[in-house]
Amino acid sequence: MITACRPSRIKIIPSFISGHSSRNLHRKIAGKMSKRVLSIQSHVVHGYVGNKVATYPLQLLGFDVDPLNSVQFSNHTGYKTFKGPVSNEKELATIFEGLEQNELLPLYSHLLTGYIGNPLFLRQVGVILKKLREANPGLVYVCDPVMGDNGELYVPKELLPIYRDEIIPLADIITPNQYEVELLTEKEVRSEEAVWEAMDWFHKRGIKTVVISSSDLGQPGVLRAFLSQQNGPRLAIDIPKQGGKDLVFTGTGDLFASLFLAHSYGCGDVATAFEKTIASLQAVIKKTVAALPNGGDGPIKAAERELKLVHSKSEIEKPEVLLKAQRLN
């Protein structure tokens, strides 16, 4: 497995190499060795959402992951209560400054962002991305604009224009759900024609790859995911729902974004990356449903709905593709 350089290897750099020369050397080391993600999103002590659900799959698929937490909660907000601090933009800037002063920025191949609940924190992400791209112009930014689902906004409304006007145009890959697409484009998405119009809205803002991780536009009992590449394929995958009709899992969007980041990197076939992402995600959900009491019939506690991530190690490492992408152009 290819990994980023270890501190011990950095220590053998001769003392006369410094400043600009040292940064160039770091860049060369990074270009040859690094598959490293700076992942800025939520953290929970118990359960699997945000950085907790993104880190393990990325590591299994060969990436080093440096989690930087936007919040640190006891558990996700779907429980009856949650406790913990929300990070602010000054804390984010201070932590990132440490990475910068240690000349670590060239080591990052990717920036991944997920749940952010503070508008000024989100704006600071734009500053961070600029510095990361100065250190590594080839850095890939994967943006999961976590704002809401099923018609419910669960971040401050002030984040929406920052995402739309400042952050989204900087992304290489974006993975919103259907509701988040509607929020960003300010148009309802109730048909496939509307899906492709929304995809074009993102492409016009310079985003190469747009993936709608889930939508209710499939047949009854079927979710439908969509992917569009600028000047490339338009794809869809039908995904049979698992469990009862009211059964909802938290963290699936975060898992989707991390899996797609990994499978799309260095892959010449975006359809394959799309299929592998869905395959692993569905395998995790299948194991989670199988572990529910009474097969998911009756009341289910939030703790019982936590994704069976660790139990799905082999399905993440070697996804079995059962659902094939349909090319629509």
Side-chain angles (χ1 to χ4, degrees), residues 150 220-223 241-249 289 295-298:
N150 298 317
V222 176
L223 299 173
K241 293 182 181 179
Q242 300 188 59
K245 64 177 182 178
D246 297 323
L247 190 58
V248 177
F249 298 102
V289 170
D297 292 332

Side-chain angles (χ1 to χ4, degrees), residues 28-300:
K28 291 178 181 178
I29 293 172
K32 292 180 180 179
M33 301 182 64
S34 183
K35 293 200 309 185
R36 182 177 291 271
V37 181
L38 180 61
S39 180
I40 304 177
Q41 49 188 316
S42 62
H43 173 79
V44 291
V45 174
H46 176 81
Y48 291 101
V49 299
N51 272 327
K52 274 288 288 290
V53 80
T55 299
Y56 180 64
L58 283 166
Q59 290 172 329
L60 288 178
L61 294 170
F63 288 77
D64 283 300
V65 184
D66 292 348
L68 207 169
N69 301 326
S70 58
V71 304
Q72 180 156 303
F73 289 162
S74 54
N75 43 266
H76 69 68
T77 58
Y79 285 72
K80 63 181 179 181
T81 187
F82 63 95
K83 303 289 183 180
V86 176
S87 299
N88 61 45
E89 69 282 1
K90 292 181 180 179
E91 293 165 335
L92 173 62
T94 298
I95 293 170
F96 187 79
E97 184 179 9
L99 300 174
E100 186 176 20
Q101 290 180 353
N102 283 301
E103 299 183 357
L104 299 174
L105 304 194
L107 298 178
Y108 292 107
S109 60
H110 290 77
L111 173 65
L112 171 64
T113 60
Y115 176 84
I116 293 169
N118 176 335
L120 294 179
F121 188 105
L122 179 60
R123 184 164 277 143
Q124 185 64 30
V125 168
V127 175
I128 284 173
L129 177 58
K130 181 180 179 181
K131 292 184 176 182
L132 287 170
R133 282 186 169 150
E134 287 173 353
N136 176 12
L139 179 124
V140 176
Y141 175 31
V142 179
C143 176
D144 183 11
V146 180
M147 291 182 287
D149 201 2
N150 298 317
E152 179 185 358
L153 185 70
Y154 43 66
V155 297
K157 64 180 184 301
E158 290 80 10
L159 269 77
L160 181 53
I162 299 174
Y163 266 122
R164 182 189 296 123
D165 302 331
E166 300 177 34
I167 301 300
I168 296 299
L170 302 175
D172 298 290
I173 299 170
I174 185 170
T175 62
N177 60 35
Q178 182 178 356
Y179 177 58
E180 289 158 349
V181 170
E182 292 179 335
L183 288 173
L184 290 166
T185 63
E186 300 178 286
K187 294 182 180 180
E188 287 191 343
V189 178
R190 295 290 181 264
S191 67
E192 290 208 12
E193 182 181 1
V195 166
W196 304 121
E197 288 176 359
M199 297 289 202
D200 288 338
W201 184 93
F202 288 107
H203 290 321
K204 288 175 182 176
R205 283 152 181 80
I207 302 167
K208 181 180 179 182
T209 305
V210 185
V211 192
I212 299 180
S213 56
S214 65
S215 78
D216 60 9
L217 298 176
Q219 299 297 317
V222 176
L223 299 173
R224 194 158 165 85
F226 298 92
L227 181 149
S228 176
Q229 256 195 341
Q230 197 167 35
N231 302 317
R234 289 184 166 184
L235 307 170
I237 296 180
D238 289 325
I239 309 166
K241 293 182 181 179
Q242 300 188 59
K245 64 177 182 178
D246 297 323
L247 190 58
V248 177
F249 298 102
T250 305
T252 52
D254 306 327
L255 178 56
F256 183 99
S258 66
L259 290 168
F260 190 77
L261 182 157
H263 289 305
S264 62
Y265 186 56
C267 175
D269 183 1
V270 72
T272 298
F274 194 26
E275 290 168 349
K276 287 183 175 180
T277 298
I278 295 292
S280 288
L281 179 60
Q282 289 303 296
V284 172
I285 293 173
K286 183 178 181 179
K287 289 209 169 187
T288 306
V289 170
L292 292 173
N294 301 317
D297 292 332
I300 304 296

